[in-house]
Amino acid sequence: MEPTVVQSKPDDLDARTTPSNELKPRTRKRDKVMKILKRARTRAGSFFLCVGKGLERYGSDVSLPEAKKDPHPLIPQTKVISEGPSPAFCLAAEDDFLVVKRDSDPRIHIHTLPPELLTEVFAVACFSEVAATNTARRARTTPLTLGQVCRHWRQIVESTPHLWSWVLIRLYRSKYDSQLEILKEWIGRTSTTQPLTIELSFEDEDAWVAKPPHELLQILLKEAHRWRSIDLTLPEACYQRVKSAKVQFPMLENIALQPLLADAHVAQAERKRLDIFEVVPSLTQLRLNGYYLDDCSIPWEQLQELVLQHIYVDECFYALQKAKNLVNCTLSTMLVNDCNRTVKKVQLTLPHLERLRLQGASGTDQATLIANLTAPALSELIISSADASSAFGDIATMVSRSDCLLRTFEVNGFDMDETALVEMLNSLSTVEALHLVPNSSAPLKSGLLDALRGSQTSISDPSASSAASTSATPAPTSFLPNLQSLEYEGDAAFEEEALVGMISSRRSGSEIGLVDGNGNGMGLVRKLEVVKLTVNNKSFSAHCQTLLSSLAG
């Protein structure tokens, strides 16, 4: 049978969430040290490390100036409650120097800190998460950067194998030979039994299409038995090299993969099959970006966490039918089926799924998936699309069919249809946190606030109180009876009185009895604890702003 040629993956694959880093040459870059230390906040024993500002010179023996108070510290200094009688220490900046101060006021130069403590600081700096932007990725702290500060730091870094267990590689064609040597030295500084985290990306991807980095890959494959987590931009031309190496991945738990853009733009019939990770016994987390899933040989049944980017709806059915043990699932940048791919709808039962996020495509496509899903353990659902309201009815039906305790519900980027929204939410009685971010086409009116408000009544009837104490679930006639947190970002067309009235009616006590406008009982509701509004087209009175500030959470 001739293979079916379908449209290649879109051009926006470069909007990636995978961090990428480079091995920087050994030049002194002291201006980066301030950024390093801003992120390095940790505690060891009775120490609390806190970094201020003004770091420009290091290692000077000049006497320290008087301390200056910074009215806007970059990292707030938090008091430490020590388990023992020893006083609390903190690391703080004074003018151009970094010093350690303690309650009794003597000051200690940073170089007098124990190496064990500095090692902890360095680990926080190297292993902390960074924003998914190219600027943040390039500026990420590495052991090489730390070693450029001074000889003392370099000695500590080079004698700490753990700091080198995160191998960060951002390849440049012009620096390839030197990067190979740095990589060998980098891996050589790790312990032979230390699990490794590998990140590989390319600064100039087009330069690697014709000549893939086989030499670098060979160095990494020699340590494949130590891989615990990998995040790779992997050229398809390297697949055969990995297979021919016949390596095993006994420790590999987390895989994140994406192809070169040039590979992603090729039609499916011309793509190479991803079959180099068929046997990964410890694998539980997987992220794939830009692959056709039916061309991927993956141990789907082992997965507990799955992130898929740039996928069609039929591929969602394909993966979820196989990955029955998922706990967390994100289907990101779902693609509109504009190339007539056949969607084989199957019933999906995911008994362990707790968190599900759907983003992209259309509300109709999302509804198709949700209409065939049963998830009895689902507690968090996030859905994003311009016409997400098309899926509202199927969401309510899915929650009812699954008999799940949905606690967190978020809708982003949708056209506000308040009637449909209220109707759906009326079926989600277990929701505790609601987050709404509509687009600017339709502002929030008073419908939702009126539904939340009702009319408060005192619970003085002993029979009502008794019923409340014996029932774990509020009366089904209540609207969002378990709601404790409400967040809204967008335009508003409601009156301030409607907002204040809703807040007042849901804040009176831990259990509140509500009645509707006709005097009919609405059951008991929980106290609303958090209200966050981000509204650009409306201002509120001082009283309302004070009320909202008290509920900011």
Side-chain angles (χ1 to χ4, degrees):
M1 180 181 296
E2 291 294 324
T4 302
V5 178
V6 301
Q7 179 179 332
S8 61
K9 297 293 184 179
D11 294 335
D12 61 345
L13 279 175
D14 205 28
R16 298 167 176 167
T17 58
T18 54
S20 56
N21 308 86
E22 61 184 88
L23 298 178
K24 302 178 178 62
R26 292 192 170 200
T27 58
R28 297 182 65 85
K29 296 180 180 178
R30 292 186 173 181
D31 57 326
K32 293 187 178 181
V33 177
M34 182 172 68
K35 296 180 181 179
I36 295 169
L37 293 173
K38 286 178 187 176
R39 297 195 296 267
R41 183 179 63 174
T42 187
R43 214 181 97 186
S46 63
F47 283 86
F48 176 80
L49 301 184
C50 177
V51 180
K53 64 180 183 179
L55 301 177
E56 295 178 358
R57 298 199 301 272
Y58 310 91
S60 174
D61 293 326
V62 180
S63 59
L64 298 174
E66 290 297 321
K68 295 181 180 180
K69 295 183 179 179
D70 182 6
H72 303 290
L74 294 170
I75 302 178
Q77 295 195 15
T78 306
K79 293 182 179 179
V80 176
I81 301 176
S82 176
E83 298 179 356
S86 58
F89 290 74
C90 72
L91 194 63
E94 294 187 350
D95 283 349
D96 297 330
F97 301 94
L98 195 65
V99 298
V100 176
K101 300 190 294 185
R102 63 182 185 180
D103 293 345
S104 57
D105 198 33
R107 293 154 189 212
I108 310 169
H109 198 277
I110 185 173
H111 288 326
T112 65
L113 288 177
E116 296 82 4
L117 182 56
L118 278 177
T119 298
E120 293 298 321
V121 177
F122 295 162
V124 172
C126 290
F127 301 150
S128 60
E129 296 184 1
V130 299
T133 63
N134 288 333
T135 301
R137 294 163 185 164
R138 291 188 182 96
R140 182 163 192 160
T141 303
T142 71
L144 292 178
T145 311
L146 292 169
Q148 295 164 10
V149 175
C150 64
R151 181 181 302 174
H152 178 56
W153 283 25
R154 184 162 57 253
Q155 290 174 343
I156 293 176
V157 167
E158 292 181 353
S159 61
T160 309
H162 174 63
L163 294 178
W164 303 88
S165 64
W166 198 325
V167 185
L168 307 171
I169 312 165
R170 186 168 180 82
L171 281 183
Y172 291 75
R173 173 57 71 185
S174 60
K175 305 176 183 178
Y176 183 51
D177 292 338
S178 61
Q179 287 183 309
L180 288 178
E181 296 304 316
I182 293 174
L183 177 61
K184 294 175 183 178
E185 183 180 356
W186 188 305
I187 294 179
R189 286 178 176 160
T190 65
S191 169
T192 56
T193 59
Q194 175 70 51
L196 299 178
T197 295
I198 312 292
E199 293 187 12
L200 171 62
S201 61
F202 298 84
E203 179 67 19
D204 42 1
E205 288 194 5
D206 292 342
W208 300 92
V209 176
K211 190 176 180 180
H214 291 310
E215 300 84 359
L216 181 138
L217 189 61
Q218 195 64 36
I219 296 174
L220 294 177
L221 288 174
K222 290 180 180 179
E223 308 296 332
H225 62 284
R226 291 202 282 149
W227 290 4
R228 180 167 61 188
S229 176
I230 59 173
D231 190 341
L232 309 179
T233 300
L234 189 62
E236 289 189 357
C238 293
Y239 291 2
Q240 185 57 41
R241 183 61 61 95
V242 177
K243 293 185 66 174
S244 62
K246 297 181 179 180
V247 295
Q248 296 182 339
F249 311 98
M251 300 178 64
L252 190 55
E253 301 172 358
N254 181 13
I255 294 178
L257 291 176
Q258 59 191 12
L260 294 176
L261 286 172
D263 294 335
H265 292 159
V266 175
Q268 182 176 7
E270 300 175 19
R271 295 279 299 270
K272 294 185 178 179
R273 184 172 181 79
L274 181 63
D275 57 358
I276 57 180
F277 296 107
E278 292 181 292
V279 181
V280 190
S282 299
L283 182 66
T284 58
Q285 302 175 56
L286 175 67
R287 182 172 74 239
L288 295 178
N289 179 12
Y291 294 93
Y292 291 98
L293 300 188
D294 46 1
D295 285 342
C296 299
S297 296
I298 300 290
W300 298 99
E301 67 282 351
Q302 297 175 201
L303 301 179
Q304 297 179 16
E305 183 170 336
L306 178 63
V307 178
L308 300 175
Q309 297 174 258
H310 297 92
I311 50 172
Y312 293 103
V313 175
D314 64 291
E315 296 180 287
C316 297
F317 278 101
Y318 175 84
L320 295 184
Q321 185 180 15
K322 295 176 176 293
K324 296 183 179 297
N325 292 307
L326 288 180
V327 176
N328 303 321
C329 180
T330 298
L331 305 178
S332 177
T333 329
M334 295 171 62
L335 304 175
V336 176
N337 187 9
D338 55 2
C339 51
N340 299 320
R341 292 175 63 95
T342 302
V343 179
K344 297 180 180 179
K345 301 176 185 178
V346 295
Q347 292 300 314
L348 303 171
T349 300
L350 301 176
H352 309 292
L353 185 65
E354 297 178 4
R355 287 170 287 277
L356 174 63
R357 179 167 188 165
L358 307 177
Q359 186 268 323
S362 66
T364 302
D365 291 331
Q366 294 172 342
T368 300
L369 191 63
I370 292 173
N372 292 276
L373 175 65
T374 301
L378 189 66
S379 64
E380 179 177 315
L381 175 61
I382 300 175
I383 182 170
S384 303
S385 72
D387 58 340
S389 57
S390 302
F392 284 174
D394 292 288
I395 291 174
T397 303
M398 182 272 291
V399 171
S400 176
R401 177 176 62 250
S402 301
D403 193 24
C404 59
L405 296 177
L406 186 66
R407 301 185 185 278
T408 300
F409 181 60
E410 180 176 331
V411 191
N412 293 291
F414 67 107
D415 295 327
M416 174 67 76
D417 183 345
E418 202 162 355
T419 301
L421 177 65
V422 171
E423 183 179 354
M424 174 194 59
L425 292 177
N426 197 39
S427 302
L428 307 183
S429 61
T430 60
V431 168
E432 299 175 359
L434 176 63
H435 191 177
L436 303 174
V437 188
N439 59 38
S440 58
S441 62
L444 178 68
K445 299 179 181 179
S446 59
L448 177 62
L449 299 179
D450 291 342
L452 287 168
R453 179 177 183 178
S455 299
Q456 183 179 344
T457 184
S458 173
I459 305 177
S460 56
D461 185 356
S463 61
S465 178
S466 175
S469 62
T470 57
S471 177
T473 303
T477 54
S478 302
F479 182 77
L480 294 181
N482 285 295
L483 188 66
Q484 294 179 281
S485 175
L486 173 63
E487 296 185 47
Y488 176 80
E489 301 176 43
D491 292 341
F494 55 81
E495 297 297 328
E496 180 178 306
E497 291 75 12
L499 174 63
V500 174
M502 183 278 293
I503 294 176
S504 300
S505 68
R506 303 283 295 231
R507 285 280 297 170
S508 302
S510 58
E511 287 184 333
I512 307 169
L514 296 182
V515 298
D516 61 21
N518 298 321
N520 299 316
M522 296 176 60
L524 300 179
V525 299
R526 297 175 71 173
K527 182 178 179 180
L528 188 62
E529 300 289 349
V530 176
V531 177
K532 295 182 180 179
L533 298 182
T534 303
V535 179
N536 297 323
N537 69 326
K538 189 177 183 65
S539 59
F540 299 101
S541 67
H543 168 69
C544 185
Q545 291 177 1
T546 302
L547 181 61
L548 291 173
S549 297
S550 67
L551 296 172

